[in-house]
Amino acid sequence: MMNDSNSLDALLAEEQELQFPSFSADVAWMLGSHIYQRARADALPIAIEISRSGQRLFFAALPGATPDNAEWIRRKRAVVQRFHHSSLYMSVEAEQKGRPFLQRYGLSEQDYAAAGGGFPIFLKDTGCVGTVVVSGLPQLEDHRLVTESVRAVIAQLAK
């Protein structure tokens, strides 16, 4: 699973880079719509959730997504909320430390999933204020869909 783009250093740099200047319900809608349109164009069977301060601001399930994707989202969101890192970062970190994520932190498999697709919403000079989570693709593809979309929306906001 390891390569240069998903090393701990690369994942941490990505988190430090992808910080929003502001994050409102409108920005959540922009981000969710961006992910939705990309997924729709490629017929990706995913579910998408964006939340801020524990409040769900956006949710969509595309054709082919199942109720199980919402469960994966809930568990990935819990990882991001607890650690303020992407769910992929936490998975890679546990792999590198040689101890399974759940065992390392004494967490329940029913409540936490360290699998790619969950990403923290960082507000510049504030920290983690929410999460964006995708489920339905292999974990690296879930992660890349989220981070590429976050990058695009941040660039759009900077205009």
Side-chain angles (χ1 to χ4, degrees):
M1 178 165 108
M2 287 300 298
N3 66 40
D4 288 345
S5 68
N6 65 355
S7 71
L8 280 181
D9 288 343
L11 292 168
L12 198 54
E14 190 174 60
E15 290 177 4
Q16 290 167 348
E17 171 202 350
L18 299 178
Q19 299 201 15
F20 286 86
S22 64
F23 197 81
S24 64
D26 289 339
V27 174
W29 187 261
M30 278 176 62
L31 177 57
S33 298
H34 186 275
I35 296 169
Y36 183 91
Q37 292 304 329
R38 280 194 55 189
R40 197 165 153 208
D42 293 336
L44 303 177
I46 64 166
I48 307 156
E49 182 195 84
I50 300 171
S51 62
R52 182 189 63 198
S53 302
Q55 180 184 19
R56 181 187 282 178
L57 300 176
F58 183 98
F59 182 85
L62 282 86
T66 68
D68 194 49
N69 294 122
E71 273 302 297
W72 275 96
I73 283 174
R74 180 185 64 78
R75 293 166 55 224
K76 291 179 192 183
R77 177 185 358 100
V79 169
V80 176
Q81 287 175 329
R82 182 171 178 135
F83 296 98
H84 292 184
H85 283 293
S86 73
S87 50
L88 182 60
Y89 177 93
M90 296 307 297
S91 173
V92 170
E93 181 192 50
E95 187 178 294
Q96 283 190 1
K97 304 257 189 211
R99 199 159 166 214
F101 171 79
L102 296 171
Q103 178 188 10
R104 179 163 187 222
Y105 294 103
L107 300 173
S108 160
E109 183 178 10
Q110 294 172 337
D111 295 321
Y112 294 90
F119 198 81
I121 294 170
F122 287 117
L123 192 56
K124 276 190 177 147
D125 301 322
T126 300
C128 183
V129 298
T131 60
V132 52
V133 189
V134 165
S135 175
L137 306 174
Q139 67 169 340
L140 295 178
E141 293 175 40
D142 277 349
H143 180 83
R144 291 291 158 236
L145 177 58
V146 168
T147 56
E148 288 168 7
S149 297
V150 168
R151 186 173 285 110
V153 169
I154 289 172
Q156 200 175 343
L157 292 172
K159 291 180 183 175

